[in-house]
Amino acid sequence: MSFDYLIVGSGFFGAICAKHLHDQGKSVVVVEKRNHIGGNCYTEQRDGINIHTYGPHIFHTNNPTVWAWINQFAEFKPFRLQVMAMAKGDVYSLPFSMHTFEKAYNARTPNEARYHIAKDSQFITGEDNLETAAIKKVGRKVYELLIKGYTEKQWMRDADTLPASIVKRLPVRFTYDTNYFNDTFQGIPVGGYTQIFEKLLDGIPVMLETDFFTSPLPEYKNLIYTGPIDKFFDYMHGALEYKTVIHKHRYYPSENVQGCPVMNYCDKSVPYTRIIEHKHFEGVQTEGSWISTEFPTPYIVEQTDPYYPVNDERNNAIYGAYKAMAESLPNVYFGGRLAEYKYYDMHQVVESALNFCKAKL
Ligand code: FDA
């Protein structure tokens, strides 16, 4: 038998396309190289706790259509992410808000905070890079406490060699609002994310532990590819760069280990960037707790997982060359974070996949 569509990858992009085609009566098969569905959004239940295996995932969007769509597949518990940050033995609140400025500068009003930031950044001149941009935004003290060490660990580079554009994404507020995201709709699926993918892929054959490039495949007429685009073209224009991390998951026989879902570790002497305590996402009551420690690690092509695209000039140019090749291929479609080399959050990849299905399939 020849399937109408073969889909590479069972993350949001692949699973949404698979459901759309299946609902239209097309024959579809999904191949997934990991031993589970869900891509990086996969959650695994252990000891009554849903572990976000590939890092913390909070669904947030301003788009009511996307929110209504995702709510068909799980019940969402309202959730506001509040990130804490450990630096030189003290705990600070993120994103940068009046709580942070009060603790660092003893500033009690927005005007006092602005005054301290201006004073603490007054001698900054020269090339705009991550370091100078960050100091202008939050002052040298907050930069050195909360940004420098964390960023240098995460990027494995000195902060003054990184582009200022990275810091432009950092939210800075002169209010006591500590909500990490600004979006209207924010939540965590009760029971984890994997159930969403089980429902999307219901009735569709999924071949796990099947690598599109090396495993025997069924015959197919059309291809939807959600893996890394450079790999598809055998790196002929060069390998794209990614940032990546590894998570070490551990069970603690303690009811509450750190009191919050995400604690950043900002000192450079600490080898990890953050610790995630999963039970706080859904607020479950269990005797023990699962925590994951996140270690930045060099991205090695085909050896470590590609996580965050590095959309600088060089990589965007390489991606452009692959995109042009991709667009010239008949019956092959590329979509999702890895195939479009785009820093998609979940709501964005959902929206992109729904639009793609409407327009192309
Ligand atoms: P995804 O990477 O999920 O799926 C691609 C699939 O293709 C994978 O399952 C992969 O194994 C498979 N594949 C690749 N090559 C293959 C091959 N050769 N053969 C077979 N299968 C192959 N978003 C958000 O909204 N809120 C959040 O809090 C977070 N947090 C977050 C933390 C971390 C650490 C990361 C890395 C990402 C996030 N995200 C996020 C982003 C979110 O993970 C992302 O938007 C979606 O996973 C993208 O879905 P895709 O389907 O594009 O890719």
Side-chain angles (χ1 to χ4, degrees):
M1 159 187 184
S2 175
F3 284 92
D4 293 326
Y5 284 84
L6 182 134
I7 299 181
V8 181
S10 64
F12 264 120
F13 200 95
I16 289 171
C17 293
K19 177 174 170 48
H20 176 86
L21 291 163
H22 180 70
D23 288 351
Q24 289 191 337
K26 299 276 194 296
S27 59
V28 188
V29 61
V30 176
V31 297
E32 169 55 63
K33 71 175 181 183
R34 289 175 174 161
N35 64 1
H36 59 75
I37 56 172
N40 285 342
C41 304
Y42 171 71
T43 51
E44 179 188 6
Q45 197 180 88
R46 287 192 218 165
D47 303 298
I49 299 164
N50 288 305
I51 300 171
H52 297 206
T53 309
Y54 299 98
H57 277 75
I58 296 93
F59 203 98
H60 56 96
T61 180
N62 279 323
N63 184 330
T65 311
V66 167
W67 185 241
W69 181 88
I70 195 80
N71 273 267
Q72 299 173 87
F73 303 102
E75 176 198 342
F76 273 74
K77 177 186 186 294
F79 181 82
R80 295 280 184 263
L81 180 63
Q82 293 180 307
V83 176
M84 308 308 290
M86 186 82 79
K88 307 222 181 320
D90 277 324
V91 176
Y92 293 82
S93 171
L94 291 177
F96 305 101
S97 75
M98 284 303 299
H99 286 288
T100 331
F101 301 130
E102 193 276 331
K103 182 139 185 170
Y105 295 123
N106 200 22
R108 282 144 306 170
T109 64
N111 277 347
E112 283 181 24
R114 286 198 173 92
Y115 165 80
H116 285 288
I117 292 167
K119 193 167 159 226
D120 209 24
S121 59
Q122 62 186 320
F123 300 116
I124 294 300
T125 51
E127 277 288 288
D128 218 16
N129 56 51
L130 186 144
E131 180 162 293
T132 53
I135 294 174
K136 282 183 206 157
K137 232 172 159 176
V138 295
R140 184 177 285 280
K141 184 172 183 193
V142 170
Y143 164 74
E144 281 177 356
L145 274 172
L146 301 176
I147 299 181
K148 184 175 164 64
Y150 186 90
T151 309
E152 291 186 345
K153 286 192 286 188
Q154 202 183 32
W155 286 87
M156 301 183 162
R157 273 166 63 180
D158 289 342
D160 59 7
T161 66
L162 288 164
S165 56
I166 297 173
V167 122
K168 291 194 178 122
R169 280 203 295 263
L170 277 188
V172 176
R173 301 192 185 122
F174 292 94
T175 65
Y176 284 93
D177 176 10
T178 54
N179 186 355
Y180 202 82
F181 301 111
N182 289 318
D183 301 78
T184 313
F185 309 105
Q186 300 183 36
I188 293 283
V190 179
Y193 284 92
T194 303
Q195 59 177 323
I196 298 174
F197 295 91
E198 284 165 355
K199 289 176 192 162
L200 287 170
L201 294 168
D202 188 28
I204 298 167
V206 179
M207 297 167 65
L208 295 177
E209 297 183 271
T210 303
D211 189 319
F212 174 68
F213 297 103
T214 54
S215 308
L217 299 174
E219 283 182 27
Y220 59 91
K221 300 184 188 86
N222 299 282
L223 177 68
I224 297 176
Y225 179 79
T226 76
I229 192 165
D230 52 353
K231 164 83 183 162
F232 189 91
F233 294 106
D234 207 16
Y235 310 103
M236 65 188 301
H237 296 297
L240 290 163
E241 280 178 287
Y242 287 89
K243 260 191 317 147
T244 193
V245 290
I246 42 175
H247 293 101
K248 294 209 170 138
H249 309 293
R250 261 189 303 170
Y251 179 78
Y252 269 81
S254 159
E255 188 241 324
N256 184 2
V257 177
Q258 64 179 16
C260 63
V262 181
M263 176 75 78
N264 285 3
Y265 283 81
C266 303
D267 299 338
K268 210 163 172 193
S269 53
V270 177
Y272 42 88
T273 41
R274 53 185 183 171
I275 294 182
I276 297 129
E277 188 172 13
H278 300 274
K279 67 187 309 179
H280 296 298
F281 289 120
E282 290 179 58
V284 290
Q285 305 296 320
T286 52
E287 276 177 18
S289 194
W290 275 92
I291 67 158
S292 304
T293 310
E294 191 173 280
F295 294 85
T297 182
Y299 171 65
I300 305 169
V301 180
E302 300 204 21
Q303 285 183 44
T304 45
D305 270 346
Y307 268 13
Y308 305 99
V310 181
N311 287 109
D312 61 14
E313 226 172 277
R314 177 186 166 271
N315 286 297
N316 287 343
I318 295 175
Y319 169 66
Y322 289 127
K323 184 170 181 256
M325 291 177 75
E327 282 167 355
S328 69
L329 289 180
N331 307 326
V332 184
Y333 305 93
F334 293 76
R337 214 181 212 220
L338 303 171
E340 292 179 73
Y341 198 61
K342 210 167 183 176
Y343 208 108
Y344 276 134
D345 267 334
M346 288 182 282
H347 61 291
Q348 294 162 323
V349 83
V350 165
E351 191 174 351
S352 154
L354 292 174
N355 288 338
F356 168 78
C357 289
K358 217 189 273 177
K360 304 270 177 179
L361 303 180

